[in-house]
Amino acid sequence: MTGETIKYQRKELELKALLEITQAINENKNERVLLNIFKFTCLVHLNIKSLVLYVYNQQEQFFLRRISHQVKEKLPEEIQKGDVQENKELGKLSLSLSGEYSFAEVNIYVPVYHKDKMLAILFLSTKDEDAGLDLDFTQALTNILVVALENKRFARKQLEQESFRKEMEIASNVQRMLFPATLPNHEKLKAKVTYIPHFSVGGDYYDLIQPTEDDVYFCVGDVSGKGMPASLLMSNFQAALRTLLRSGTDLKTIVEQLNLSIFDATKGERFITFFLGHYSYSQKKLTYVNAGHNPPILCLNSEDSAELLEAGTTILGAFETLPFLELGEREGLDHFVLHLYTDGLTEAMNPQDEEYGEKRLLDYINQCRDSTPEDFHIGLLEDMEKFSDGVPGRDDITLLSLQFN
């Protein structure tokens, strides 16, 4: 057989290999099928006896073994990026591996590059040394496979991002439906809320419910986690709360039932910090439970110092049964202001890594006792913006102010 005949037959086999792998890519075969077709194409049509393929994982920063055939040696599943060094001028590859690994059975390596970034390494050995192997073609064929795998990864990532975007959009819509459409703004009660989510879907929750002319229930909470899981937990929490409030149950029982509901749903893996208050106009009485939340601030008049409402219990959902529960009460209240907020407000940072903090909030409140809720919110946000000096917030911010007359 002449050299020209051998060369012609080799080119014919290479063409078959190229057609098989490109056909599989065009038919949108999955990664496992593509890798198998590539392996058997190399073994059948090219002069290859054994091969090992490592493909670079961009996210994890290592080379992952995707194919291993006819190699008895112990090979690493992963090779760290820093353990691979190639001297292109000498055509030599250096691997920094522990002594238990060896690549002696696959003595030829074929690197695959995109610009200066190594995408993959194909290790192989030939069936017949005299028959030779077109390394340029083998490299091109491997490149086609690796690019196809990378395209599939990119398409999968895009699909995941689109799915995440839709999930967040649904969660955002669910959250908007949870919040009150309007808040009272009349002689007996003026209410104002400022809600600034850190992302499109936040973990904060607030509500104001007036089941009768005499009763006003109000609350603020912070659900652990973000996105759809937090939004669904929040919606279930609100449904349970409103059902319990309609039944006329006392605050102590409501909080115990809410805690049990969250614990049953999440098995202690998620929790909610929560403040629930009730005001009776006829009794001029404020009753409340603080479940591990930032204590709301009660302002009676311009002379008395602000009071923190701390009585209550621990966070909801962490324990099947609340370890303690204290009901807070204040009587004889006919004109007062109450500020409820989440920790995103006091944890706002400035360029010096200082928090806005509870003390600054109290100082500002003491300076603005006579402000309406509307003016109070405008002024406080300006004060926080000045303090932060351009540093973005790290969490959702919710501030609910209630002025009872």
Side-chain angles (χ1 to χ4, degrees):
M1 188 178 297
T2 65
E4 286 297 322
T5 304
I6 294 173
K7 186 177 179 181
Y8 174 79
Q9 288 180 342
R10 190 171 69 186
K11 289 297 179 184
E12 189 177 22
L13 290 172
E14 288 177 354
L15 181 60
K16 286 183 180 179
L18 182 61
L19 287 173
E20 286 185 12
I21 191 68
T22 53
Q23 184 179 353
I25 292 170
N26 291 336
E27 292 174 357
N28 199 27
K29 301 292 186 182
N30 62 44
E31 289 187 12
R32 182 180 58 82
V33 173
L34 285 180
L35 288 165
N36 278 330
I37 290 175
F38 174 80
K39 178 176 72 173
F40 288 112
T41 296
C42 289
L43 297 172
V44 173
H45 298 308
L46 306 182
N47 184 29
I48 294 176
K49 179 178 68 175
S50 54
L51 74 160
V52 182
L53 177 66
Y54 284 88
V55 179
Y56 186 61
N57 185 311
Q58 180 70 37
Q59 186 175 356
E60 302 294 338
Q61 302 279 300
F62 58 65
F63 290 87
L64 178 66
R65 179 155 54 93
R66 304 301 303 272
I67 298 175
S68 180
H69 181 76
Q70 286 287 83
V71 179
K72 296 179 181 178
E73 296 171 316
K74 187 175 181 181
L75 300 173
E77 191 70 26
E78 303 164 1
I79 303 176
Q80 297 300 317
K81 180 183 178 182
D83 293 337
V84 180
Q85 301 291 332
E86 187 195 16
N87 188 321
K88 293 183 180 180
E89 293 181 2
L90 298 177
K92 291 186 177 181
L93 187 74
S94 173
L95 299 177
S96 301
L97 304 173
S98 65
E100 61 180 319
Y101 301 122
S102 172
F103 284 83
E105 290 184 55
V106 279
N107 56 352
I108 301 172
Y109 81 92
V110 180
V112 176
Y113 280 93
H114 175 67
K115 297 182 179 178
D116 291 331
K117 186 175 80 171
M118 187 181 284
L119 296 180
I121 316 170
L122 177 66
F123 298 91
L124 57 89
S125 63
T126 56
K127 299 175 186 175
D128 184 357
E129 292 185 8
D130 296 331
L133 179 70
D134 189 337
L135 290 178
D136 289 338
F137 175 80
T138 306
Q139 186 179 50
L141 191 68
T142 309
N143 187 283
I144 290 170
L145 169 73
V146 172
V147 169
L149 295 177
E150 185 69 12
N151 287 341
K152 282 187 173 293
R153 185 195 66 80
F154 181 70
R156 186 168 59 248
K157 186 177 180 180
Q158 280 191 314
L159 192 64
E160 289 171 354
Q161 287 176 340
E162 179 63 18
S163 176
F164 178 74
R165 187 192 65 78
K166 288 182 178 178
E167 178 183 298
M168 295 299 283
E169 185 178 328
I170 293 169
S172 180
N173 291 334
V174 169
Q175 189 172 57
R176 277 196 297 270
M177 290 188 291
L178 295 180
F179 297 142
T182 59
L183 291 173
N185 186 25
H186 46 73
E187 186 178 345
K188 291 178 67 176
L189 174 59
K190 294 182 185 297
K192 168 66 178 175
V193 70
T194 295
Y195 171 64
I196 306 172
H198 186 226
F199 297 110
S200 58
V201 178
D204 287 1
Y205 165 62
Y206 67 90
D207 211 343
L208 189 146
I209 304 150
Q210 295 180 274
T212 69
E213 287 291 324
D214 186 55
D215 298 295
V216 182
Y217 291 92
F218 43 90
C219 66
V220 66
D222 190 352
V223 183
S224 66
K226 307 292 180 204
M228 183 61 80
S231 181
L232 290 174
L233 179 60
M234 193 187 295
S235 62
N236 291 333
F237 181 81
Q238 187 212 45
L241 172 63
R242 293 201 164 202
T243 299
L244 290 165
L245 290 177
R246 281 195 295 269
S247 68
T249 311
D250 63 277
L251 292 194
K252 183 174 181 293
T253 304
I254 288 173
V255 171
E256 288 174 336
Q257 290 299 313
L258 288 173
N259 176 72
L260 188 59
S261 174
I262 299 166
F263 186 86
D264 286 344
T266 67
K267 305 305 178 191
E269 293 182 1
R270 288 184 178 272
F271 60 86
I272 296 178
T273 67
F274 181 62
F275 178 91
L276 176 62
H278 167 250
Y279 180 68
S280 168
Y281 285 103
S282 60
Q283 298 180 30
K284 298 182 180 181
K285 181 179 179 181
L286 171 67
T287 311
Y288 66 90
V289 174
N290 187 337
H293 196 75
N294 302 82
I297 301 166
L298 174 65
C299 305
L300 300 179
N301 55 56
S302 58
E303 296 178 2
D304 294 334
S305 59
E307 179 181 335
L308 302 181
L309 304 184
E310 299 178 302
T313 183
T314 187
I315 56 177
L316 304 184
F319 306 97
E320 186 172 8
T321 302
L322 292 171
F324 60 91
L325 179 54
E326 177 187 1
L327 200 64
E329 292 183 350
R330 290 291 270 103
E331 298 184 3
L333 302 180
D334 55 4
H335 181 82
F336 64 97
V337 175
L338 193 58
H339 299 292
L340 301 85
Y341 64 96
T342 56
D343 56 11
L345 191 153
T346 51
E347 291 177 0
M349 304 290 290
N350 69 5
Q352 289 74 45
D353 285 336
E354 298 171 326
E355 289 188 348
Y356 188 76
E358 188 179 274
K359 183 180 183 303
R360 283 188 179 87
L361 177 59
L362 285 169
D363 288 344
Y364 185 84
I365 288 173
N366 286 325
Q367 294 169 17
C368 306
R369 290 295 190 91
D370 298 326
S371 299
T372 64
E374 181 79 28
D375 291 339
F376 175 80
H377 280 231
I378 293 172
L380 179 61
L381 290 176
E382 289 177 352
D383 190 63
M384 289 182 62
E385 187 175 347
K386 182 179 177 181
F387 169 82
S388 299
D389 194 20
V391 176
R394 301 182 303 177
D395 200 357
D396 313 319
I397 293 176
T398 301
L399 174 64
L400 175 62
S401 299
L402 309 172
Q403 185 181 64
F404 288 89
N405 300 304

